[in-house]
Every structure is written in C-alpha cells, then in structure tokens.
C-alpha cells in the first residue's frame, strides 16, 4: 500500500516535471500573466487606499465633496486600469496555454509519424484521437489558470502584507499569523481538493460508466424487455454512490471551510481591534496612531489578502484534470519513438533500374523472435511478385519491411537504390481508407495535383463510373451522401484508383482481392494487369490463382522465415 | 433557450432542495457582505467616538451589538459555506442521476428498430459529453444570477430607504448594467463561437481518425507530413477561437467587476453629498459602499458560465433531438397461423441502401430447426435482425410468436454474472442459472470464483474471453421462456469440440 503510494507520488512528480518542461518555451508569456496579475493586485491596493482616503477626508477632515474631485477621478482611473490589467492577464494566459498546446500537438504528431502505421496498428484510432485532441486541451486550465495563480497566491498577499505592516504593524501581525499558515492552507486546500476531485471523479465516472454501459446494451436490454428494470437499477445504484460520496465529502469540504474560517475570523478580529484602537482602549503597540483612513484600509485589504488563495482553491480541479490527462499523454509519448521522420516529401533521385534489394535482413515484431533472419532477396524493377504462404508466415512482415513501416533489426533494405520511405510508392491495405469528402478529395489526398480527367479516368477504370454518373456534380460529389459509406469492395477499388492516379513505380499490396465480391475482384485484377503491363514493380501477397498467373515470381513465405521462389524451380532465399 | 426548458423542468422536480440550497447560499453571501459592511460601520463609528473622546467630549458607543454582529457574521459565513457546499453537492449528484435515468428511460422508449443495433463509440462519447454539460445547470446558470438579482434588490432597498431615490437609481442602475453584462452580454458575445466549437471539434476528431486509419497510404505517398500539418492548422484554429472566446469572457468579467466598483464609487459619492447635508450619518455612509463591494463575490461567478451558455444550449439541442423527439411505436407483430412459429412473407430487406434480400418467404414450424448459411456479408445478420424486429422490412411481412434473439455482438453488462443472466428472466432461481451454466460448460469456471454467481463481469470486473462471453450470452438467451430462438453465430470463438458438446447439451 505504502509502496504504491510512493510510486504514485513519484509518478506525479514525473508528470509535473514534464508539465514544467512543456511550459518552458512559453515562460515569458506565463511571467507576463503573473505580472499583469501583480499589477491588478497593486491597483486593488490603490483602489482601497483611495476609497479609505476619500472617506477619511470627508468624514474626519470635513472636506467638501466638490474639493474631492481629483481623488475621485484618480479612483476612476485606478478602476479602469485594474479592469485593463485583469483583461490582459486573461489574454496572456490564453495565449501561453495555446502555444504550449500547439507545440505539444506538433511533437505528438511527429512521434505518431515516426512510429508508423504498423506500430500504431494495435491502438484504436479513436483513443489516439482523444489523446491528441481532448487530453492536450485538458492541460489548458493548468497553464492558463493554475500555474500563474500558484505564484500570485504567494506574491499578492505578500504585497498586501507589506502595506498593512506600514499602516499598523499589529494588524500586520494578525495577518502574518495567518501567513505562515498559508503554506498550510495550500496543503490543506490541495489535499481537500485532491480528495474531493478523486472522489467526485470516481463517482461521476462510475455513474457515467453504468449509464454508458446500459445505453450501449440498450438494444439487448430491450430484446429481453429488461430496460425498465435497468432504469430502476441505475437509479438505485446512483443513490448508493451518492451516499458513499457524501460521506467522504463531509471531510473533504472541511479544508475549504478552514480557509473560509480563517479569512472570516481575520476580518472580524481586525475590525474589532481597529474599533477598540480608534476608541483609545488599546494602550500598547501602534493602536494610538490608527486613523479612520488606516483603519478602513486595513479592513478592506483583509479580504483581498485571502482572495488569491480562494481563487487557487477554485483552480485546483484544473490541476487535477491536467495531471490525469498529462500522465496518460506522457505514457503514450514515451511509448512512441522520438526520431525525425524521413523527409521523403522532397524526393531524392531514385534509380528505378536498381530494383529492390534485401541484404542480410533480420526483422521481427518482438526482440529475440525474428520472423526473418539474414534474408537476402532481389526483385528486378518492373517485375510482378506474388507472396504466398500460410497466414502468419511473414507475408505482411515482408511487405511492411519493403514499405519501411517496419525497420530491420539487421541488414539493409534498398528500394531503387534508396532507403524504404525515401521513394514514394503505392500502398493498398486490407482496410479501405476513405476520408469524408468528395471522390476528388479522396484521390487528391495522396496526389494533390491530379487533374479532373485523370481522376475520372481512374475511377471509371475500376468500374466506379456508375456511382459518379448518378450525381450531377460527378467526381465533386460526396462519396457517401448519407454517411453509410461504400461496400468493402467499392472501398478497395477507390483505394486502388488513388494508386492509378498517382503513377508510382512501386506498388505494395496486402491481399488485394481478399474478401471482395466477384464484381470488384474482376476490376481489381484487370487494374493490376494494366499496371504490370505499364512496367510498374508490383509486390503483393495473395492466394488467388488469378493473381498468381499475373506474377513473374511467386515467393512462398513460410512460417520459419524461409522464402522460396516457386516460380523458378524452387530457388531458395534465406 | 427553449432547448434548456425540458432540463430546467427536470431540475424543478426538486423544488425543496433547490430552494434550501439557494437559501444556504444566500445566508453565506449575506454573511460575507454583512461582515464587511458592519465592520466598516463599526470602525467609522468608533473612529468618530474616539475623536470626540480625545477632544474631551463625553461620548459613548454600544460596542456589544456591532461586535456581536461581526462575530456572528464571521461564524455564519464559515458554517453557511460549509453547509451550502455539502448540501448543494448532494443536490448536484441527485440531479446528475435524475438526468441520466430520465434520459435512459426516454431512449429505451424508442423502439430498437429506430436505432443502430450497436451505437458507435463516437456517438456514445459525444452523447456523454453533452449530458455532462447539463449537470452544472443549477449551480452555475440558475442559482447565481437569481441570487445576484435578489441581493442587488436587497441592497437597493437599503439604499432607497436610507439614502433616497437618487443614490438608489445611481447604484442600482450601475449594478443592473453589471448584471446584464455578466449574463446577457457574456452569453450573446460568445454565443456563435461557443455553439459551433463542439461541431468543429467533432469534425477535427474524424479527420484525425482518418489520418491514423490512412497513415500507411499517406506515408507511402509521402503525404503524411502535409496531411498532419493540416490537422495541426485546424487544431490551432480551434484553439485560437477558444482562446479568444475565453479572453472575451475574461474581458466581460473584468467589465462586470468594473461596474460593481463604479457602483461602489457612486454610492460613496452620492452618500458624501447627503452626509455633508447631515442627512446620513458617517457610519451609514461607509456601510453602503462596502456592502456593494461585497456583491462582487456573486457577480464574479456569473460571466464564465454564461459565456459558455452557447455550448450548453448546443449540447441540450443535440440531446433533445436524439432523445426527446417522439418516435412511432413499433408495429405490433402479428402471430403466424396454425402451428407455425415464424412466417416471412415476400420480405424485402435493405442494408445501407443495398437490397440484401428480395421477395423472401420462409415458414418455420414450432419445434423445427432452421440453419441459415452463406458467405459473410450476404445478409444473414440482417435477416436475423429482421426476424427479431430490429430491422423493418421495406416490403413484405414478418409474423412470429414471441422470440428471444442472440445478437451477433456479445453484450455483457458491467454487472454480476447473475444480473447478466437474469436480464432474460428476472425470477430465475440460482439452481436454474447453474443448470444452464453447466450446459454451456461454464459451471467449473464460475464455481471456482469465490463470488460464484455474483462474480462481477465487464471491464471493471472479471474479464471473460470472447468464447466465454459468447457462452454467457448463449446461456442468457436459453434462459428466456420464449419458444422461438434466433441465434446469430451462437458459437463465435468457441472451439469445435466444445460446440458439439454444448449443442448436444442444449438440445430441447
């Protein structure tokens, strides 16, 4: 138990260190936020000072209102300036948080790209998207509100304390007595808020979890006519959770009550001390020199002394939310490799004559369990290669190696004389990849400068002409009007159309005809045939006899990492 | 604003709690204001008396009443705050469950045929986010403006009574403007931005998912970097809009505070004139500005929630569209003639705008067993869903006796094993549950668990393998008294030898 608590604390420290590392580039903006907050605090003191001075002048010195125009004007100016500083403080806070989040997203994206599709394949895209979008935004409150307020909660009370000391040191001592308590307050507020947050979030997440679970299962519940009972149970459970939560909260709320208590009592004690001092009942200390001005000012400053702390307590949930999200983000980022992505977007000169070479390649998904060891393989440019073999035998691994999605543990892969990934190529995966948008959008995603004619030709070649003819906008009509999407076969054909438009020299395909309806299959085989005739280098895994006849080489990839060229009388690659 | 009406109505089903919570907040706020104002009054009164005493004039002051008042306010503020937070937190948790139970009942009144059999996880998370936005309705949007109004009226009444009409108009005028700025202006100024933010985020989210789905193709084509950069641009645009709406909200908040402070100055300025005409005493002169200053606390709670009101309304609108729109009741299914259990008569079924079956007829007699086979994707599940009533045929008719349906997706509730099974038959005895578990070969698995039938299943509890979950679902559907069972791939994930044994064991 204590061990897990220690590791929890260590973990939290690691997360906090990471957060402050993130904040480093925006440090000047955060300092700016604090500076404007300090200015607003100083102007608050000035405002209270002017109010107390005007009252003193009018009541004690009997100065006419008309002669007080200047201090009144000064007061208005101070109020305006204070509002301005508060606005600017919020603006600086918003800007600094925005910068931090943008740069975090940049590095997140970089790491996702470096990891590549194979490593990310096991993660749900929705989870990654939530982390990329929502978790990063959950850090906002921490950088914009909590972090600056943490400093302000120390600095502004200090400023007020100095003024009060100058006015009446005994009143200052009353506040000072509370001052050593401030770290204690912070800890108390922190602990209370932490507990509150944990308990609150746990209850909410349990409740939401139950609710979510029942909604997910609603159809099943309805099929068994159990939906009414489920609603009653939901009610019962949430009542039970509420009762448990409230028990904990009774204690957790005490910490904020302590803060409230100290600030109320400080005001009351100071008011009564000043009152008695003004009456001349107190014969020690500075009470003799109290005036209405200094008395009122001290009184009005007392609540302001505690105000920054109360704000900090309010911002504590920002911290809790940010720490939770940050812990998950940090885990994710540490899992992803941080290396520069190859900048193959500026294509280097490839030598298409050089063919494809795998030189002594060892590779696998887990260390110590290579799928291939010291594999040597050459494929000529313009050849068509089919990979066959049992599932799990390494066909996909070989394709991923050629694509550069998987880095070899040893040896080297050269595609047209360059490293994989330095050459653009076509990739046809098993899952159709569609973006929300028009047919043209979908094809221009990988080939931005494709002409309308080229796009339409490619779609027609794959038998998708009928779908675009139905629509008046042709290729500029949305792929799916209702969001229902295309069938699997149509999706595969769309992906292949993308490759046709792009005119790649190398095309890698993972089971291009698996699970297709007969219609789609014919179109896909025909398109591959056309690509082969055009002299493109094709590598695909397949079991389909029709595709095997298309191939110049058939490589049998077996489970023991052996690759056998069955089309040339069993030449062995190892 | 109409979008919030059903939810406000739901809140006000607990008028007593809302009223008590509001009163506790009021007591706390009045104590805070009273503490400051009375202290100011006391200091001024003692200062004047002190001056008279110092000048040798006989003067006296009652120290006990104001002193006692100050102490009372200090205590009542502390206790009030504690009780208020505790009580209102309880209320919020109650409202939270009210809203969820209400929504669940609304959703479950809609026939299953009008809903996708399995809601997408994106729909669910969107929905949950929207529901979360309704939780804060009372504590953030209903109670604070009402309390601010009430306290303003109270202080206005004091101003009118002690200081006269001019001061009243001046102070209350400024405060009213402040109240309007903090609520209406805060809402209107950010309404559009806040209202469209969620939609933009949803769109970006689907772009990100597309990016990740297509990462292989994008990287192959050398476009991943640029496509990613586009996502970053959109994200940065959304963040920028949010930042500027936050900044606008903060400006509204600082203007609100400025107006309250102006009301303080106005109270002092107009009070001073009255004081110098001897119409108001000095302590009272100090009391009013300090009381107005104390209003700042409740006023400062207003702008933030109101500048997010646009988003709250948009969330409520989405929920209303999904849950509150009445939908037609499912057609009552006719019974088949004679001894038939199921009759399909010239049925035409569509899935995603494709016809999967046309003019399909089938008659199954009671006690008969029919297997439907075919390649994956030809429409076996659609047919099963049509028989179960989850999909309405476009043409033709389905008639059947009451039936139980085992869906293709295995749905296990986060609950005990017993609760998962009793979903099908609430009154089933433990013995009959064990008998069925034995039939699906799960008896050993669960008798080894220390909680037995009460073993908790689902993500929070004991994880079941795919095959085990499937067998629990099978036991569940066998538990129903229905005479017609429709099983969609009942043995997914179950190994062949066990399939044989179970199939024999469940033989009627």
């Amino acid at each position: 138990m204590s061990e897990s608590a220690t590791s929890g604390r260590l973990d939290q420290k690691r997360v906090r260190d990471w957060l402050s590392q993130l904040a480093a580039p925006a440090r000047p903006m955060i300092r700016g936020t604090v500076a404007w907050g300090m200015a607003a605090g100083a102007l608050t003191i000035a405002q209270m000072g002017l109010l107390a001075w005007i009252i003193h002048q009018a009541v004690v010195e009997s100065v006419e209102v008309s002669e007080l125009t200047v201090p009144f004007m000064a007061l208005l100016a101070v109020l305006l300036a204070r509002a301005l500083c508060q606005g600017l403080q919020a603006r600086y806070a918003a800007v600094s948080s925005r910068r931090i989040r943008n740069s975090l997203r940049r590095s997140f994206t970089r790491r996702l790209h470096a990891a590549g599709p194979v490593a990310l394949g096991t993660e749900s895209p929705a989870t990654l998207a939530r982390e990329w979008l929502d978790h990063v935004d959950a850090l906002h409150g921490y950088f914009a509100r909590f972090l600056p307020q943490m400093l302000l909660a120390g600095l502004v009370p200090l400023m007020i304390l100095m003024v009060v000391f100058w006015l009446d040191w005994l009143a200052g001592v009353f506040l000072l007595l509370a001052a050593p308590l401030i770290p204690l307050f912070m800890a108390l507020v922190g602990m209370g808020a932490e507990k509150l947050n944990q308990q609150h979030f746990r209850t909410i997440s349990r409740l939401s979890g139950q609710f979510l679970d029942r909604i997910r299962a609603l159809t099943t519940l309805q099929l068994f006519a159990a939906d009414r009972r489920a609603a009653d149970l939901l009610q019962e459970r949430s009542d039970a959770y509420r009762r448990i939560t409230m028990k904990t909260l009774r204690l957790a709320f005490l910490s904020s009550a302590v803060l409230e208590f100290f600030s109320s009592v400080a005001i009351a004690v100071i008011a009564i001390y000043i009152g008695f001092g003004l009456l001349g009942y107190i014969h020690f200390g500075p009470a003799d020199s109290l005036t209405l001005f200094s008395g009122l000012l001290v009184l009005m400053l007392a609540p302001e002394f505690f105000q920054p702390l109360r704000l900090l307590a309010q911002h504590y949930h920002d911290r809790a939310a940010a720490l939770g999200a940050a812990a998950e983000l940090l885990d994710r980022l540490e899992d992803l490799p941080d290396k520069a992505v190859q900048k193959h977007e500026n294509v280097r000169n490839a030598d298409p004559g050089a063919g494809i070479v795998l030189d002594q390649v060892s590779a696998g998904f887990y260390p110590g369990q290579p799928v291939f060891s010291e594999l040597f393989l050459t494929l000529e440019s313009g050849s068509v290669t089919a990979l066959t073999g049992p599932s799990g035998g390494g066909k996909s691994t070989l394709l991923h190696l050629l694509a550069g999605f998987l880095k070899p543990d040893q040896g080297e892969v050269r595609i047209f004389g360059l490293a994989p990934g330095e050459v653009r190529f076509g990739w046809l995966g098993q899952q159709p990849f569609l973006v929300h948008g028009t047919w043209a959008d979908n094809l221009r995603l990988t080939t931005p400068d494709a002409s309308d004619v080229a796009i339409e030709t490619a779609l027609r070649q794959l038998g998708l002409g009928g779908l675009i003819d139905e629509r008046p906008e042709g290729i500029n009509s949305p792929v799916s009007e209702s969001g229902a999407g295309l069938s699997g076969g149509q999706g595969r054909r769309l992906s292949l159309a993308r490759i046709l438009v792009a005119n790649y020299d190398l095309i890698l395909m993972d089971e291009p005809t698996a699970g297709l309806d007969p219609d789609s299959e014919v179109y896909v085989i025909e398109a591959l045939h056309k690509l082969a005739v055009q002299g493109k280098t094709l590598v695909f895994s397949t079991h389909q006899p029709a595709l095997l006849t298309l191939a110049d080489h058939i490589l049998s990839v077996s489970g023991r990492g052996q690759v056998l060229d069955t089309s040339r009388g069993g030449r062995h690659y190892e | 604003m109409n979008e919030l009406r059903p939810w406000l109505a739901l809140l006000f089903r607990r008028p007593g709690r809302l009223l008590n919570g509001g009163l506790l907040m009021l007591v706390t706020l009045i104590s805070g204001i009273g503490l400051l104002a009375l202290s100011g009054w006391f200091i001024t009164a003692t200062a004047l008396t002190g001056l008279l005493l110092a000048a040798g004039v006989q003067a006296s002051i009652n120290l006990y009443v104001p002193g006692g008042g100050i102490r009372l306010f200090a205590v009542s503020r502390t206790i009030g705050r504690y009780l208020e937070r505790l009580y209102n937190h309880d209320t919020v948790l109650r409202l939270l469950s009210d809203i969820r139970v209400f929504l669940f009942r609304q959703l479950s009144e809609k026939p299953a045929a009008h809903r996708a059999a399995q809601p997408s996880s994106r729909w669910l998370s969107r929905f949950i986010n929207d529901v979360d936005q309704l939780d804060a309705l009372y504590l953030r949007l209903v109670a604070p403006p009402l309390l601010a109004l009430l306290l303003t009226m109270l202080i206005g009444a004091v101003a009118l009574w002690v200081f006269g009409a001019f001061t009243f108009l001046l102070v209350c005028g400024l405060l009213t403007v402040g109240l309007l700025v903090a609520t209406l202006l805060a809402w209107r100024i950010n309404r559009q931005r806040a209202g469209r933010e969620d939609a933009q985020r949803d769109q970006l989210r689907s772009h990100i998912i597309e990016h990740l789905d297509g990462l292989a193709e994008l990287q192959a084509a050398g476009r991943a970097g640029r496509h990613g950069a586009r996502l970053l641009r959109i994200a940065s645009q959304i963040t920028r809009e949010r930042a500027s709406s936050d900044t606008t909200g903060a400006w509204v908040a600082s203007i609100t505070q400025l107006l309250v402070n102006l009301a303080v100055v106005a109270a002092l300025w107009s009070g001073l004139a009255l004081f110098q005409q001897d119409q108001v005493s000095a302590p009272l002169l100090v009391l009013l500005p300090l009381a107005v200053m104390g209003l700042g606390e409740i006023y400062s709670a207003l702008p933030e929630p109101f500048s997010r009101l646009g988003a709250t309304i948009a969330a409520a609108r989405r929920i209303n569209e999904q849950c509150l729109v009445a939908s037609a009741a499912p057609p009552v299914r006719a019974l088949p003639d004679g001894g038939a259990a199921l009759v399909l008569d010239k049925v035409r079924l569509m899935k995603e705008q494709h016809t999967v079956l046309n003019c399909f007829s089938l008659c199954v007699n009671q006690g008969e067993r029919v297997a439907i086979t075919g390649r994956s994707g030809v429409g076996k599940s659609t047919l099963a869903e049509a028989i179960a009533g989850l999909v309405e045929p476009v043409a033709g008719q389905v008639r059947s006796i009451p039936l139980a349906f085992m869906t293709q997706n295995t749905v296990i509730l986060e609950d005990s094993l017993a609760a998962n099974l009793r979903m099908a038959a609430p009154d089933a005895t433990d013995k009959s549950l064990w008998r069925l578990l034995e039939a699906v070969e799960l008896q050993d698995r669960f008798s080894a668990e220390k909680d037995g039938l009460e073993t908790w299943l689902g993500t929070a509890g004991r994880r079941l393998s795919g095959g085990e979950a499937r067998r629990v679902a099978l036991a569940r559907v066998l538990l129903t008294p229905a005479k017609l069972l429709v099983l969609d791939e009942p043995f997914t994930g179950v190994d062949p030898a066990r399939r044989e044994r179970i199939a024999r064991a469940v033989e009627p």
Side-chain angles (χ1 to χ4, degrees):
Chain A
M1 185 68 208
S2 72
E3 203 170 286
S4 76
T6 322
S7 79
R9 263 200 300 282
L10 272 178
D11 206 49
Q12 214 185 48
K13 184 171 176 339
R14 192 176 66 104
V15 171
R16 280 207 311 269
D17 288 347
W18 181 62
L19 284 174
S20 73
Q21 217 175 306
L22 284 182
R27 201 63 76 186
M29 286 306 275
I30 294 177
R31 277 198 207 107
T33 311
V34 175
W36 288 119
M38 291 278 288
L43 286 164
T44 308
I45 298 175
Q47 174 196 340
M48 301 306 176
L50 278 165
L51 276 172
W53 194 72
I54 290 172
I55 292 171
H56 181 89
Q57 290 296 307
V59 171
V60 178
E61 313 287 342
S62 304
V63 177
E64 285 288 321
V65 187
S66 52
E67 289 168 39
L68 289 170
T69 314
V70 176
F72 265 115
M73 286 297 144
L75 184 55
L76 290 181
V78 165
L79 289 181
L80 275 175
R82 185 182 162 196
L84 201 66
C85 287
Q86 283 169 331
L88 285 169
Q89 180 190 350
R91 191 178 148 61
Y92 270 63
V95 171
S96 66
S97 148
R98 180 163 63 86
R99 286 195 187 156
I100 293 170
R101 281 177 290 153
N102 281 346
S103 91
L104 176 57
R105 284 211 180 96
R106 267 196 301 279
S107 75
F108 198 166
T109 311
R110 212 170 40 235
R111 287 184 193 228
L112 286 175
H113 288 172
V118 174
L120 293 179
T122 50
E123 293 299 334
S124 120
T127 308
L128 286 169
R130 202 179 64 235
E131 287 169 354
W132 195 89
L133 191 61
D134 301 325
H135 282 28
V136 174
D137 277 340
L139 306 183
H140 168 68
Y142 183 82
F143 293 117
R145 291 187 287 262
F146 181 78
L147 208 57
Q149 193 58 38
M150 189 82 183
L151 290 168
L152 287 173
L155 292 171
V156 172
L158 192 69
M159 213 155 57
I160 290 173
L161 196 65
M162 283 175 358
V163 175
V164 172
F165 252 95
W166 168 69
L167 289 168
D168 182 296
W169 63 261
L170 199 56
V173 168
F174 286 136
L175 287 184
L176 193 62
L177 278 180
L181 292 177
I182 284 180
L184 184 72
F185 278 158
M186 285 191 174
L188 263 177
V189 165
M191 267 153 41
E194 198 101 38
K195 189 133 199 182
L196 175 72
N197 268 307
Q198 281 168 5
Q199 185 66 42
H200 187 75
F201 281 124
R202 201 173 308 140
T203 313
I204 303 273
S205 71
R206 270 194 202 155
L207 271 177
S208 289
Q210 291 251 322
F211 176 58
L212 188 81
D213 187 51
R214 286 343 187 238
I215 287 192
R216 197 180 282 137
L218 187 52
T219 301
T220 305
L221 288 166
Q222 281 180 326
L223 283 170
F224 288 118
D227 42 332
R228 257 159 230 271
R229 258 178 295 133
D232 296 340
L233 194 67
L234 207 59
Q235 178 82 62
E236 243 170 68
R237 288 257 167 82
S238 50
D239 280 344
Y241 282 142
R242 181 176 53 77
R243 273 192 292 275
I244 299 168
T245 306
M246 289 317 294
K247 244 177 232 161
T248 335
L249 290 188
R250 250 167 245 164
L251 270 176
F253 280 135
L254 270 182
S255 68
S256 62
V258 169
L259 181 60
E260 201 70 36
F261 176 73
F262 269 90
S263 78
S264 301
V265 166
I267 297 172
V269 166
I270 284 177
I272 287 170
Y273 157 73
I274 292 171
F276 279 71
L278 286 170
L279 282 172
Y281 290 1
I282 298 173
H283 300 293
F284 55 89
D288 284 344
S289 52
L290 271 173
T291 59
L292 182 58
F293 164 72
S294 61
L296 272 182
L297 182 51
V298 169
L299 174 74
M300 288 191 288
L301 287 178
E304 298 297 332
F305 181 78
F306 294 96
Q307 185 56 26
L309 265 173
R310 296 172 66 177
L311 267 181
L312 184 68
Q314 279 175 28
H315 296 330
Y316 234 86
H317 68 258
D318 288 327
R319 175 180 177 274
L323 285 183
E328 281 181 39
L329 275 173
L330 185 56
D331 286 345
R332 169 73 65 203
L333 291 181
E334 281 178 351
D335 275 355
L336 296 174
D338 185 23
K339 45 190 173 197
V341 195
Q342 288 138 338
K343 283 276 174 201
H344 64 294
E345 315 212 342
N346 314 313
V347 183
R348 276 167 53 193
N349 283 337
D351 171 15
I356 296 169
V357 182
L358 272 78
D359 190 5
Q360 304 294 313
V361 167
S362 300
F365 291 99
Y366 307 102
Q369 290 173 305
V371 181
F372 299 108
S373 32
E374 303 189 3
L375 175 70
F376 184 83
L377 182 69
T378 53
L379 305 170
E380 301 123 52
S381 300
S383 65
V384 178
T385 309
L387 309 175
T388 61
S391 66
K395 299 191 296 290
S396 299
T397 312
L398 191 53
L399 282 171
H400 289 152
L401 272 172
L402 294 177
F405 299 155
L406 184 71
K407 303 275 176 286
D409 300 328
Q410 265 174 38
E412 201 186 18
V413 181
R414 310 294 289 170
I415 310 281
F416 304 149
L418 298 175
E422 283 186 328
V423 189
R424 285 181 187 172
F425 60 95
W427 175 265
L428 186 70
Q430 293 244 12
Q431 292 298 320
F433 162 49
L434 303 184
V435 296
H436 226 75
T438 65
W439 293 93
D441 289 341
N442 264 289
L443 266 64
R444 289 206 174 104
L445 195 68
T446 45
T447 320
D449 48 4
S451 69
D452 282 5
V453 178
I455 289 172
E456 201 168 329
T457 313
L459 290 171
R460 283 192 194 287
Q461 267 184 29
L462 286 157
L464 296 168
L467 288 173
I468 51 175
D469 288 339
E470 284 170 14
R471 312 240 75 93
E473 302 94 354
I475 59 164
N476 291 317
S477 57
V479 171
S480 68
E481 295 276 41
S482 63
L486 302 174
S487 78
Q490 288 165 338
R492 187 83 55 85
R493 275 141 76 190
L494 172 59
S495 297
L496 194 54
R498 223 179 248 141
I499 292 174
L500 291 190
V501 158
N503 197 25
Y504 300 114
D505 288 323
L506 170 65
I507 298 151
L508 305 176
M509 286 166 283
D510 195 3
E511 308 255 5
T513 54
L516 288 193
D517 50 292
D519 231 22
S520 299
E521 205 174 282
V522 170
Y523 280 113
V524 170
I525 292 174
E526 198 164 308
L528 292 193
H529 183 69
K530 210 165 281 172
L531 287 168
V533 170
Q534 285 170 9
K536 310 291 187 192
T537 312
L538 305 183
V539 183
F540 49 79
S541 59
T542 190
H543 293 293
Q544 176 87 3
L547 275 181
L548 291 177
T549 58
L550 210 67
D552 302 325
H553 311 280
I554 299 169
L555 302 185
S556 164
V557 186
S558 77
R560 292 174 308 283
Q562 293 199 323
V563 179
L564 194 70
D565 190 340
T566 48
S567 58
R568 289 193 188 160
R571 217 169 86 196
H572 234 96
Y573 298 98
E574 272 186 24
Chain B
M1 279 300 253
N2 277 338
E3 288 88 346
L4 294 178
R5 195 166 291 165
W7 307 105
L8 291 172
L10 191 64
L11 296 189
F12 282 99
R13 281 193 205 164
R14 297 186 179 275
R17 283 205 76 88
L18 300 195
L19 192 67
N20 290 339
L23 281 176
L24 281 170
M25 283 195 254
L26 189 65
V27 167
T28 313
L29 287 166
I30 287 182
S31 303
I33 294 171
L35 180 62
L36 197 62
L38 187 60
S39 299
W41 182 93
F42 178 66
I43 287 176
T44 315
T46 52
L48 290 179
T49 316
L51 285 176
L52 290 176
L53 289 173
V57 182
Q58 195 62 32
S60 71
I61 178 169
N62 179 352
L63 289 174
Y64 296 103
V65 174
I70 288 171
R71 281 194 295 270
L72 174 74
F73 281 137
V75 172
S76 66
R77 186 167 97 145
T78 310
I79 295 178
R81 171 77 68 205
Y82 177 71
L83 291 178
E84 174 258 306
R85 289 199 66 188
L86 205 59
Y87 190 85
N88 283 327
H89 210 87
D90 195 339
T91 308
V92 165
L93 288 177
R94 279 172 207 256
L95 295 176
L96 204 109
S97 88
D98 282 357
I99 290 173
R100 278 158 185 71
V101 173
F102 172 75
L103 270 176
F104 183 79
R105 285 189 207 276
Q106 288 288 328
L107 280 174
S108 67
E109 269 169 33
K110 287 173 170 298
H114 294 210
R115 197 178 44 236
Q118 188 83 343
S120 76
S121 64
R122 259 197 276 173
W123 179 84
L124 273 174
S125 70
R126 150 93 287 144
F127 183 69
I128 295 294
N129 274 342
D130 286 345
V131 174
D132 286 346
Q133 298 229 28
L134 296 177
D135 292 341
L137 220 50
Y138 170 66
L139 268 194
R140 286 162 65 80
L141 285 162
V142 176
L146 289 178
L147 286 168
L149 188 66
L150 191 64
L151 285 169
T152 306
M153 280 165 28
L154 265 174
I155 288 177
V158 172
L160 185 62
W161 181 43
V162 182
F163 288 73
F166 178 68
T167 311
F168 165 76
L169 285 177
L170 201 58
V171 171
C172 282
L174 283 164
L175 287 176
T176 308
V177 176
L179 201 55
L180 290 175
V181 166
T183 53
L184 277 182
L185 183 67
W187 171 40
R188 305 296 290 211
I189 208 167
N190 273 330
R191 183 169 54 161
Q192 287 196 329
R193 262 198 297 238
R196 67 171 177 244
E197 192 192 314
D198 285 326
Q200 287 172 333
R201 288 178 71 88
D202 276 358
Q203 210 176 7
L204 175 59
R205 192 186 308 276
S206 44
H207 284 324
I208 301 163
I209 293 174
E210 284 168 3
H211 180 79
L212 293 167
D213 277 339
L215 194 56
E217 272 160 302
L218 289 167
Q219 284 197 333
R223 301 291 306 172
R226 278 182 215 161
H227 195 254
R230 218 189 89 217
L231 298 183
L232 285 168
R233 262 200 313 281
I234 300 174
S236 152
Q237 181 62 35
I238 292 177
T239 321
R240 183 187 299 271
E241 280 212 15
R242 176 67 197 263
S244 76
S245 87
D246 279 355
T247 312
T248 317
W251 281 112
V252 169
S254 70
I255 291 170
T256 305
Q257 203 177 18
L258 176 65
L259 283 161
V260 172
N261 280 326
L262 287 178
V264 172
V265 176
L268 180 62
W269 179 70
S270 69
L272 275 181
L274 294 171
F275 166 70
Q276 282 167 356
Q277 293 158 20
D278 273 338
Q279 289 177 16
V280 174
S281 74
L284 282 177
L285 161 71
V286 175
L287 183 127
L288 186 64
L290 283 178
V292 175
M293 199 186 281
L295 271 183
E297 188 181 345
I298 183 72
Y299 271 65
S300 66
L302 297 174
E304 211 259 333
F306 274 90
S307 62
R308 305 290 309 152
L309 180 58
T312 311
I313 291 177
R317 187 184 310 126
R318 281 188 295 265
I319 294 179
N320 296 350
E321 280 164 7
Q322 285 157 10
C323 305
L324 300 187
V325 180
S327 54
V332 180
R333 177 162 288 183
L335 288 171
D337 316 314
L342 170 69
V343 173
L344 275 77
D345 189 13
K346 291 188 187 128
V347 166
R348 181 172 175 211
L349 294 175
M350 306 261 289
K351 189 184 183 185
E352 289 169 3
Q353 281 131 33
H354 296 280
T355 301
V356 286
L357 275 178
N358 205 356
C359 220
F360 179 79
S361 297
L362 173 74
C363 177
V364 181
N365 289 321
Q366 299 210 7
E368 214 175 349
R369 258 163 285 163
V370 177
I372 299 170
T373 60
R375 272 194 304 124
S376 82
V378 293
K380 298 193 296 291
S381 290
T382 311
L383 177 60
E385 281 168 5
I387 295 171
L390 295 184
V391 171
E392 292 291 329
V394 187
Q397 204 191 15
V398 181
R399 294 192 297 271
S400 79
I401 59 174
L403 57 82
F405 177 43
M406 181 179 182
T407 52
Q408 192 176 22
N409 294 307
T410 310
V411 177
I412 298 290
L413 291 181
E414 281 198 29
D415 212 319
S416 66
L417 173 65
N420 265 291
L421 294 174
R422 286 209 176 97
M423 194 200 278
D427 305 321
T429 59
D430 282 6
K431 215 172 126 194
S432 61
L433 297 187
W434 280 118
R435 207 170 47 235
L436 272 168
L437 286 174
E438 191 186 351
V440 299
E441 302 201 346
L442 279 172
Q443 192 191 24
D444 295 344
R445 167 78 167 77
F446 286 106
S447 55
E449 296 278 347
K450 71 172 172 22
D451 293 331
L453 284 175
E454 292 306 311
T455 305
W456 197 265
L457 306 181
T459 47
R462 181 66 58 175
R463 295 290 193 98
L464 298 176
S465 75
E468 285 169 344
R470 200 65 192 150
R471 283 182 279 150
V472 171
L474 183 59
R476 177 166 66 198
V477 80
L478 292 172
L479 196 61
T480 59
K483 289 270 184 282
L484 171 61
L485 298 184
V486 183
L487 310 175
D488 192 355
E489 303 276 1
F491 290 121
T492 313
V494 181
D495 61 79
R498 186 170 261 153
R499 278 181 201 194
E500 286 291 316
R501 290 200 301 272
I502 295 177
R504 267 199 305 278
V506 301
E507 196 87 7

